[in-house]
Amino acid sequence: MKNIDAAAHTRGESIYLDDIPLLQGTLFGAVFGSPVAHGVIRSLDLTEAERMPGVVRIFTYKDVRGENQIGGIVPDEPLFAERHVHFCGMPVALVVAESEAAARAAVKKIRVEIEPLEVITDPRIAQARGELIVAPRTFRLGDTDSAWKSCAFIFEGRADTNGQEHLYIETQGAYAIPLENDTIRIYSSTQAPTAVQRAISKVSGLPMHCLDVEVTRLGGGFGGKEDQANIWAALCALACVHLKKPVKYALPRTDDMVMTGKRHPYSSDFRIGLDEDYKILAYEVTLYQNAGAAADLSPAVLERSLFHCTNSYFIPNVRATAYSCRTHLPPNTAFRGFGGPQGMFVIEAAIVKAAEALGVDAALIQKKNLHRTGDEFPYGQLAESEAPACWQKAEELYELEALRAEVAVFNAGHALFKKGIAVMPVCFGISFTKTLMNQARALVHVYSDGSVSVSTGAVEMGQGVNTKILQVAAAAFAIAPARIKIQATSTFRIANTSPTAASATADLNGRAVLMACTEIVARLKRVVAEEWGVDAERVELREEAVWERVKGRSLEGEETGEGQRNLGRSLEGEETGEGPRNLGRSLSWKQLVLLAFTKRVNLSEHAHYATPGIHFDASREKGHPFAYHVYGTAITVVTLDCLRGRYEVDAVKVVHDGGASMNLIIDRGQIEGGIVQGIGWMTVEEVLYDEEGRLRSNALSTYKVPDIYSVPRRIDIDFLHTQRDNLAIFRSKAVGEPPLMYGIGAYFALRNAIRAFNPAAELAFSTPMTPERALMGLYSGGGPAGMTNEGEERAVKDGQGKRAGNEQLSPASGEGHE
Ligand code: MTE
Ligand code: LUZ
Ligand code: MOS
């Protein structure tokens, strides 16, 4: 089934925050953010700003009626700076004016004197100073200390990954509207309506039942709105409470980039030990997470880095320690993968370090060490592993050996263009690592006209969750999708929601919907069974009608649990006349609903789902935190222009463990998007803060993201279809985050291309591998060997043969790309 938003999106009719019609008298906010990263506020002068035309009022921490605090996990983040500022862009004041332009003009007139203090941007320095957000954590399996003795080979190194800007198309923002008796409705571009509600409650002192947070959809979140939507909503709500007027603040792109946190940069040390046979016996890793100035979600992100520190490999002896380090950057936050990618990059770097030193292909070590069903993760859960199956299928389907041979032939034939290939297995745990967050509720109404309304805590942000939820309801009721509407997410309809995050939204909310629908179906069946004087067991919903199963006739075409295959197909013909042969009398869906209504039967249901069987004991760092794992293997091939450092990703070929996907179109979209986003993180996207903690990459002119020319020339996706019982909805495994980590393969493929050109290249395990860095790498370590006269001649020939060169790199992009 197509995404239910497709038509409205295409026509530009979908409603985002900025499309909400404004009420008369709406005022507009703009934040004055700290111009320095660390210091003590000596004076704040608002007089000139207050005199600017259109300015209604300027708010500071003094106007906060409740607590000036929005920290979710750790209460360490004031909404407004009081005496100290801790990062550039930290909100100091909120100007509210009659227009956006007036508010922004007034912000420029605010004067602040800040006595600067030392700025720390490096997590290792922060750690050395004892500047930690929370106590460090260590995961252990076996005993690394004694395992080193059995290792034939031991390698050590360092790996660094940089941050990543979320770059959701819709920036952060909120619109608060005063209703009667202290009630406020807040439209917020948030992944977490309940978190927004809590934050506003804390700051305003109003109880949660006064706060209706409503979300129709987001123009992307990617984790950036899991926690950091709270600020803007709290600011708007605060002004709304004071002024009793609607207040809106949608951030301009630069404010958004400067003021909000990003993916956490990590710096890590590793040590890996292998036996003669290249089995990994021991792995030790220390992760330094750059948390920024406040906790935000950092402790949870840190935890997931530890959970994924061995990626898809079974390593019998592991010691992994992680520090969440306080620096003077904006608080870093959730980003697709949530610390998992950072943890996985390090083990991949460790394996590649070993492979390069041993002179073997990294894939040899990777494949040998993939975990198998029954192997233990460092956190105690036992794997139900699809890792070998995905690898095997990718290897065969995409003819890995032939691909390698092609790369070798190409490299032998070109002096100035080199190809690189890398294989990246992925294993990602599904469930919030905080067990209590794995719960969801759904409210389903069947109206007397047969139309159905479904509300959950899920937020649609482009990932297609509303379509999947609609498919669940359509399957449960056996009715056409057109009869069902997924309502905007609202804290008045559904309470105490977990954020739309952790890729588990369809699983959690979908299962709650299924429970609610199943309950209503049972009631409907009882009604009609009573009417017909038959057993309710004999009554069946199918094709928009309820049927009596006739005794003695065979039930060919019976649903066999494969019902989801046909989910969402549209059913023509409203009223069903003649039924399948094995069925007797029937009532149409509409007649059925009306019958139940006249019999005064409840046509609404509110259901609650909590993932069974998961637990985690943080005191031992052991448990069974994940409902299941998602697996996959990606093969990445790149071509590198060794004269210029430019490169292209020729292909990413994936086998992805989707379980029994309930929507292949959506899942393919998620996989493609995740891959490109992951490649962007590993290659061109470069978040740059200077030593004063100022963001230098604060616009799209200075922050490069993959464009249509730099996405892989081809992405092949094949699914590992499994019917294994799991806790996913309809066995359709979560798909939102795991594919991002396939993108890590691009870094290692580029590394291989550089080494094909210059085997002596000195390459740090440091990302992003921008074209500039690739170029430096190509000529590092004394430069490429064999740049003799003969080599130069060939090089010149390659270089002059510019057309030929471009063809090799990219016939599609051609000269226009330069
Ligand atoms: N896809 C789109 N189009 N837009 C997004 O913002 N966010 C990703 C992923 N895919 C995102 C997306 C992230 S970070 C997560 S956690 C999941 O979607 C969340 O949705 P799900 O739980 O329904 O998979
Ligand atoms: N958010 C969260 C997440 O709070 N806990 C998680 O485990 C998680 N995992 C992935 C993405 N967001
Ligand atoms: Mo996604 S990082 O869980 O929002």
Side-chain angles (χ1 to χ4, degrees):
M1 172 179 184
K2 266 198 296 201
N3 190 315
I4 53 172
D5 281 336
H9 280 358
T10 311
R11 295 190 195 114
E13 291 169 358
S14 302
I15 303 278
Y16 298 85
L17 183 82
D18 238 9
D19 301 309
I20 297 170
L22 296 181
L23 290 178
Q24 201 166 11
T26 292
L27 301 174
F28 299 85
V31 160
F32 172 73
S34 172
V36 304
H38 190 203
V40 178
I41 299 179
R42 288 297 171 214
S43 71
L44 179 66
D45 182 1
L46 305 175
T47 39
E48 204 188 336
E50 276 166 343
R51 279 200 295 260
M52 291 288 285
V55 170
V56 176
R57 187 160 161 186
I58 302 179
F59 296 92
T60 66
Y61 74 92
K62 292 178 183 150
D63 303 298
V64 176
R65 288 186 183 161
E67 274 181 74
N68 181 31
Q69 181 53 247
I70 55 161
I73 298 181
V74 182
D76 67 349
E77 190 177 359
L79 176 63
F80 285 116
E82 297 187 12
R83 220 169 89 79
H84 284 90
V85 290
H86 299 288
F87 62 92
C88 272
M90 179 174 182
V92 175
L94 172 75
V95 176
V96 175
E98 285 160 7
S99 72
E100 267 178 22
R104 284 184 210 164
V107 161
K108 296 206 177 94
K109 302 291 180 188
I110 292 178
R111 301 280 167 259
V112 67
E113 267 180 69
I114 298 176
E115 187 182 313
L117 295 173
E118 188 199 7
V119 173
I120 298 175
T121 57
D122 181 334
R124 289 181 188 253
I125 294 175
Q127 190 267 348
R129 304 269 179 87
E131 287 289 336
L132 298 181
I133 298 278
V134 286
R137 309 241 329 238
T138 299
F139 281 22
R140 284 191 182 84
L141 182 67
D143 176 11
T144 46
D145 287 339
S146 55
W148 297 121
K149 295 191 225 37
S150 328
C151 294
F153 312 105
I154 297 175
F155 303 96
E156 292 180 338
R158 170 177 164 150
D160 291 87
T161 48
N162 198 358
Q164 186 176 22
E165 163 63 42
H166 298 87
L167 217 84
Y168 22 65
I169 293 178
E170 178 191 36
T171 57
Q172 303 265 4
Y175 182 26
I177 296 169
L179 305 175
E180 61 175 21
N181 297 329
D182 289 336
T183 301
I184 311 179
R185 173 174 307 140
I186 305 98
Y187 296 102
S188 164
S189 183
T190 180
Q191 294 172 233
T194 294
V196 165
Q197 187 190 25
R198 277 199 201 104
I200 296 176
S201 174
K202 198 170 205 176
V203 168
S204 67
L206 291 170
M208 287 167 81
H209 72 193
C210 288
L211 305 169
D212 183 17
V213 180
E214 197 166 298
V215 188
T216 300
R217 68 167 56 68
L218 313 185
F222 304 110
K225 297 167 182 172
E226 183 173 337
D227 208 53
Q228 302 212 344
N230 299 4
I231 310 163
W232 328 106
L235 291 171
C236 289
L238 184 86
C240 174
V241 167
H242 277 271
L243 302 170
K244 302 237 182 295
K245 293 261 190 162
V247 179
K248 179 177 167 182
Y249 181 28
L251 274 68
R253 179 64 67 183
T254 304
D255 283 9
D256 189 302
M257 290 179 86
V258 168
M259 293 179 182
T260 66
K262 323 204 175 300
R263 182 188 294 286
H264 295 78
Y266 275 57
S267 185
S268 310
D269 297 318
F270 62 79
R271 190 163 192 232
I272 189 168
L274 304 88
D275 69 10
E276 294 283 358
D277 205 24
Y278 303 145
K279 273 272 186 195
I280 306 172
L281 295 184
Y283 179 58
E284 281 180 2
V285 62
T286 308
L287 307 168
Y288 300 91
Q289 176 198 56
N290 190 336
D296 191 274
L297 295 167
S298 299
V301 171
L302 190 81
E303 184 173 71
R304 198 175 266 278
S305 302
L306 288 171
F307 281 119
H308 296 317
C309 73
T310 54
N311 191 9
S312 303
Y313 309 108
F314 173 64
I315 306 178
N317 303 286
V318 176
R319 194 179 73 211
T321 298
Y323 296 94
S324 182
C325 310
R326 187 183 288 109
T327 60
H328 299 106
L329 303 183
N332 286 315
T333 194
F335 196 135
R336 207 169 191 172
F338 205 76
Q342 291 95 321
M344 284 183 201
F345 181 81
V346 188
I347 180 71
E348 293 302 324
I351 290 173
V352 166
K353 173 115 191 186
E356 287 175 0
L358 295 168
V360 299
D361 201 316
L364 182 78
I365 302 177
Q366 290 173 305
K367 187 179 175 184
K368 221 181 249 294
N369 290 282
L370 292 175
H371 61 215
R372 289 169 195 281
T373 294
D375 284 343
E376 186 176 348
F377 288 100
Y379 46 93
Q381 186 161 344
L382 302 185
E384 277 191 53
S385 184
E386 309 286 4
C390 287
W391 182 290
Q392 200 67 35
K393 187 168 180 187
E395 195 175 282
E396 287 163 16
L397 182 70
Y398 300 124
E399 302 183 44
L400 181 58
E401 282 323 304
L403 286 175
R404 273 189 206 298
E406 278 171 37
V407 167
V409 167
F410 179 93
N411 287 350
H414 294 79
L416 280 182
F417 288 88
K418 297 292 179 191
K419 284 189 189 285
I421 183 167
V423 189
M424 178 70 198
V426 168
C427 164
F428 195 78
I430 302 302
S431 285
F432 288 95
T433 57
K434 256 276 167 284
T435 301
L436 81 85
M437 294 173 77
N438 296 285
Q439 51 169 312
R441 279 153 295 278
L443 178 64
V444 177
H445 298 310
V446 178
Y447 292 93
S448 55
D449 65 352
S451 68
V452 175
S453 151
V454 178
S455 299
T456 71
V459 171
E460 176 59 54
M461 49 186 184
Q463 87 280 38
V465 69
N466 280 358
T467 305
K468 290 184 175 179
I469 285 175
L470 188 146
Q471 288 179 267
V472 172
F477 290 132
I479 57 176
R483 288 198 194 274
I484 303 166
K485 185 155 167 28
I486 309 297
Q487 305 296 355
T489 315
S490 147
T491 51
F492 277 6
R493 276 190 287 274
I494 301 291
N496 308 322
T497 61
S498 287
T500 285
S503 307
T505 318
D507 283 2
L508 297 172
N509 294 276
R511 280 193 172 245
V513 169
L514 186 59
M515 288 167 74
C517 295
T518 305
E519 182 56 38
I520 294 172
V521 164
R523 285 181 211 139
L524 292 171
K525 283 183 175 178
R526 280 198 295 271
V527 168
V528 74
E530 195 175 307
E531 183 78 3
W532 287 342
V534 301
D535 197 72
E537 304 282 286
R538 296 254 312 276
V539 169
E540 177 180 328
L541 287 175
R542 119 189 220 170
E543 299 187 5
E544 301 232 299
V546 62
W547 303 83
E548 182 194 359
R549 271 185 281 185
V550 178
K551 255 193 219 146
R553 297 197 198 164
S554 79
L555 297 181
E556 43 95 17
E558 184 63 325
E559 302 286 283
T560 55
E562 297 195 355
Q564 61 265 35
R565 289 274 164 71
N566 313 320
L567 291 188
R569 83 190 139 178
S570 81
L571 300 169
E572 301 134 40
E574 258 237 341
E575 309 294 299
T576 327
E578 199 94 355
R581 267 179 292 128
N582 55 323
L583 299 173
R585 51 189 153 162
S586 70
L587 275 183
S588 75
W589 168 255
K590 271 176 130 173
Q591 291 165 329
L592 172 65
V593 168
L594 214 50
L595 176 69
F597 178 66
T598 36
K599 301 268 182 196
R600 300 189 295 170
V601 167
N602 180 5
L603 289 171
S604 298
E605 184 66 14
H606 180 259
H608 168 86
Y609 174 74
T611 314
I614 50 172
H615 53 87
F616 192 71
D617 176 355
S619 68
R620 295 186 309 120
E621 305 288 24
K622 295 285 179 198
H624 187 102
F626 298 118
Y628 58 91
H629 291 83
V630 170
Y631 293 85
T633 297
I635 301 169
T636 304
V637 183
V638 300
T639 303
L640 177 65
D641 172 341
C642 302
L643 201 59
R644 305 174 184 83
R646 309 186 315 171
Y647 47 74
E648 281 198 353
V649 180
D650 304 349
V652 178
K653 295 166 182 279
V654 175
V655 171
H656 182 83
D657 161 32
S661 171
M662 64 187 282
N663 194 318
L664 282 171
I665 307 177
I666 284 175
D667 288 356
R668 272 181 193 278
Q670 285 293 293
I671 295 170
E672 289 178 2
I675 288 171
V676 172
Q677 202 164 32
I679 291 175
W681 173 50
M682 283 285 112
T683 60
V684 291
E685 297 184 40
E686 190 167 27
V687 176
L688 267 180
Y689 287 96
D690 63 21
E691 283 174 2
E692 276 80 53
R694 259 188 295 263
L695 182 68
R696 290 305 185 181
S697 51
N698 65 355
L700 283 170
S701 51
T702 45
Y703 188 77
K704 173 97 177 99
V705 285
D707 57 15
I708 193 66
Y709 300 107
S710 58
V711 300
R713 300 269 303 280
R714 60 185 295 171
I715 297 179
D716 295 341
I717 299 166
D718 205 82
F719 287 88
L720 186 76
H721 297 279
T722 53
Q723 284 288 344
R724 227 189 288 277
D725 206 4
N726 59 38
L727 290 169
I729 176 74
F730 292 152
R731 300 182 185 178
S732 171
K733 285 187 167 187
V735 71
E737 293 169 285
L740 182 127
M741 284 152 273
Y742 296 139
I744 293 174
Y747 169 87
F748 291 101
L750 279 170
R751 193 181 165 94
N752 287 338
I754 294 172
R755 286 169 50 86
F757 179 74
N758 175 8
E762 284 164 9
L763 302 170
F765 290 103
S766 174
T767 70
M769 180 65 87
T770 57
E772 293 84 350
R773 291 228 207 148
L775 192 60
M776 303 286 276
L778 283 163
Y779 297 93
S780 64
M787 281 296 270
T788 57
N789 281 345
E790 193 195 335
E792 273 169 37
E793 261 165 46
R794 262 170 72 197
V796 167
K797 210 171 116 217
D798 257 14
Q800 278 175 343
K802 196 152 170 283
R803 291 203 70 84
N806 268 328
E807 265 159 39
Q808 297 299 354
L809 188 62
S810 166
S813 55
E815 327 267 48
H817 195 17
E818 308 236 335

